[in-house]
Every structure is written in C-alpha cells, then in structure tokens.
Amino acid sequence: MLGVSGYCRVAMKTTYIRAAVRELSGYVPGEQPQSRHVIKLNTNENPYPPSPQVIAAIAEVASAELRLYPDPLAVEVRRRAAARYNVDAAQVLVGNGSDELLALIMRACVGVGTRVAYAIPTYSLYETLVALQEGESVQVPYGPDWALPAALFGADAAVIVVCHPNSPSGTAVPVTTIEALAREATGLVVVDEAYVDFADESALPLLRELDNVVVLRSFSKSFSLAGVRAGLAIGPAELIAALCRIKDSYNVSRMSLAAAAAALDDYDWMEGNVRRVRATRVRLFDGLTGLGFQVTPSQANFVFARRPGEDMGPLHEQLRTQGILVRHFPAPQLRDGLRITVGTEEETAALLEALARLMGQAQPCC
Ligand SMILES: *Cc1c(COP(=O)(O)O)cnc(C)c1O
C-alpha cells in the first residue's frame, strides 16, 4: 500500500527495526506536485531563479567531472563561506542541505535520554531527529507574542534549538535575546537560520564571543537552490571537526558544491531576489489583512495567516483545486492558519484574488 509519502507500507512481523524508528511518525514534507501548472506557495521555495553563474557552474561539472568523487572537505565552498561570513574555514561545514547538518548535530550531541529544548510550534523535523536519537524533546510553547519563552532560559538541556526566523510564524527574536539564552545555556545553542537572509539580523556575530553557538544556513530559500541540497553549519571549530568525523565522506555532490561556491560568488543576485521577495511580502501581508486574516509580521519568505478558531483545512483544499498550493498544518493549535510562501507579484495577486473569491462565497449571505 502506498502511504501519503509515496513509500510502500507493508505489515511486518519482524522486529529488526529499532523501536525508536518503528514508532517514529516521520517528518511530513509539504506536497511536491509533479505538474508545473500550479502556483506553489507551500514549501517556501524562492519564486525567482538562481544566479546564471550557478547554472553555468553545474553545467561545467556535469560535462566534465561527474566521474570523480567530490571533495570530502569541500575546501572551496568553505573558503568562500569563511570570507563571506567573516569566520575561519575550520568553523564551516557544508551539508547536503541544512537538514543534514541538523541530523549530524543531533547524532553528535544527543543520546538516549538527552534533553533537547525548543519553543513550539516550530520546524517539526527537530522532534523527529531527537526521537530518532532516543533523546527527549523539551517543548516550550511560544506565547501569543512569539517572544522566546522564559522557560527556555537556563533550561536543563544539552541542546537548545532556535529557529530564527521561526517557521511557521515567520517571527524572529532579537539577536540580543539569543545571546542571553546562549550565555545562560549549559549546552549547545543551535540557531537555524534557513530564512535569515529575508530577516533584519543574523546571530552570526555571536560566534566571536560564544563557543556554544552554531548557526545553520541553507542555500534552499534565499539562494533559490532547494533542488541542489546544500547548507552550511558555522560554529566552534571543535564542534565542526566532530561533525566532520561523523558525516558521510562524500556527503555533498560535486554539482552541489559547485553550485554553492558559485552562489556565494554571486551574492548580489541572491540579495536582489531577497529585496523583491521582501517587497512582495508587504503586499501579501496587506492583502491578507484586508481579507480579514490575522497575519503575524514576518521576517521570512512566508507569512502565517490566521482566522482564529476557524479550521483552514477546507479553504486549503479549495485553493488546491484552483491550482494554488499553500501549507496547512492539522495540529490543533495551527489548524486555524495557513502558511503562505511569498511568490512573485503575479502569483501573490492570483492567490489574493482566489482567496477573495472563495471567502466571498463562504460567507453567510446578508
Ligand atoms: C527549509 C528549512 C530547513 C532545511 O533547509 P535545507 O537546506 O533545504 O535542508 C531547515 N530549517 C528550516 C526551519 C527550514 O524551513
């Protein structure tokens, strides 16, 4: 039988699979439709193409170098990242997406019963990865203002994860708050900055003062390279060396390394796309607010739009039948919201138009 994920599920009598894995519900990614004829605003991809220099770099690798293994140390990407982010190359690790880097950090730091704390709702992969290590997730609910919950400060945890900006809220806490958190923390603070290029400030400067902070960056969102799978961990050299020991030797493909290096070389291209996304974000925010949604001001390339108390599942489905994909989370505390990626100006206009139409119909007459 095919499950929602498209993978085969068969009833099994055998017990060779670890209990932690048997019981894992598994991270559920957003839908990746086969058709190109949809307006895809459900997984926070960039609506604009990557730099032409990136395409050329991939083409060059594809035409001449696929026979060879990639550089296991990713020297070129690390050198560029170090120069760009003003750190030492020994403080940088390249991963097969920042998801891999999250998994490596959990593998390095979390064993049976190890406590990992984070505020929820957030990126649900954290919970999956902690469960896989048989660690204990300490989940502290955000309040309505999306400030970092007080219980996170001084939490008895080996690892604290801060999603900065957070998903699905799109909110970012001040870096001074993350600094205070890290100064009080007894363990490692992981700052997941997958969306930070769309935000006002990064936690990277904290690395100069603190040796218990690691920052994760992704090429998937701001650099328009979700299909490539590349991310960076930037942190204390000792941690980076440990992660390097446990990673697959050839964890990032030759094409991905070439793409990441070229993307860092053409930073202006990314920044241009980010400016456009941020401009459209204002328009999306205003449009959704005008339609009666409660929208949290966003620092990311998506917004979370709520109709408090209403299940947005049906509206999500109606949009889907109109060829517009947005993200709906079935969890009780998120059910009344839609997470909507900032698309192009045209896509955003089409979304707002469809919503106005659908919600107009849904409203009781007179
Ligand atoms: C997209 C995303 C990631 C993963 O990024 P990849 O580099 O594509 O693996 C990590 N964290 C958050 C919060 C994300 O939204």
Side-chain angles (χ1 to χ4, degrees), residues 35-52:
S35 162
R36 285 161 183 256
H37 303 288
V38 291
I39 296 183
K40 193 171 179 313
L41 306 175
N42 65 332
T43 51
N44 302 339
E45 287 128 331
N46 199 307
Y48 303 111
S51 158

Side-chain angles (χ1 to χ4, degrees), residues 65-220:
E65 296 173 5
L66 290 185
R67 193 175 57 78
L68 303 171
Y69 276 114
D71 175 6
L73 296 177
V75 168
E76 282 303 318
V77 176
R78 286 168 58 220
R79 193 168 65 202
R80 284 169 170 80
R84 165 59 56 183
Y85 299 116
N86 203 10
V87 295
D88 199 277
Q91 293 182 269
V92 183
L93 183 70
V94 187
N96 185 32
S98 56
D99 283 351
E100 185 196 25
L101 297 164
L102 276 166
L104 287 173
I105 290 170
M106 297 301 181
R107 271 159 68 190
C109 302
V110 181
V112 177
T114 305
R115 289 160 63 90
V116 178
Y118 47 88
I120 55 165
T122 191
Y123 190 34
S124 64
L125 182 65
Y126 307 149
E127 181 176 7
T128 303
L129 294 174
V130 173
L132 192 51
Q133 295 305 118
E134 300 178 54
E136 183 189 341
S137 272
V138 179
Q139 302 182 329
V140 189
Y142 275 109
D145 60 355
W146 297 101
L148 268 196
L152 223 46
F153 292 79
D156 173 23
V159 180
I160 300 177
V161 187
V162 179
C163 192
H164 179 257
N166 186 49
S167 174
S169 61
T171 50
V173 299
V175 167
T176 49
T177 307
I178 300 176
E179 178 177 359
L181 179 79
R183 287 196 189 279
E184 258 190 70
T186 50
L188 177 69
V189 174
V190 180
V191 188
D192 180 350
E193 292 199 338
Y195 299 104
V196 83
D197 290 321
F198 303 101
D200 295 337
E201 55 169 355
S202 164
L204 271 180
L206 299 183
L207 298 188
R208 265 178 253 136
E209 301 221 2
L210 294 163
D211 62 2
N212 66 335
V213 175
V214 61
V215 173
L216 302 183
R217 294 295 189 90
S218 172
F219 287 90
S220 299

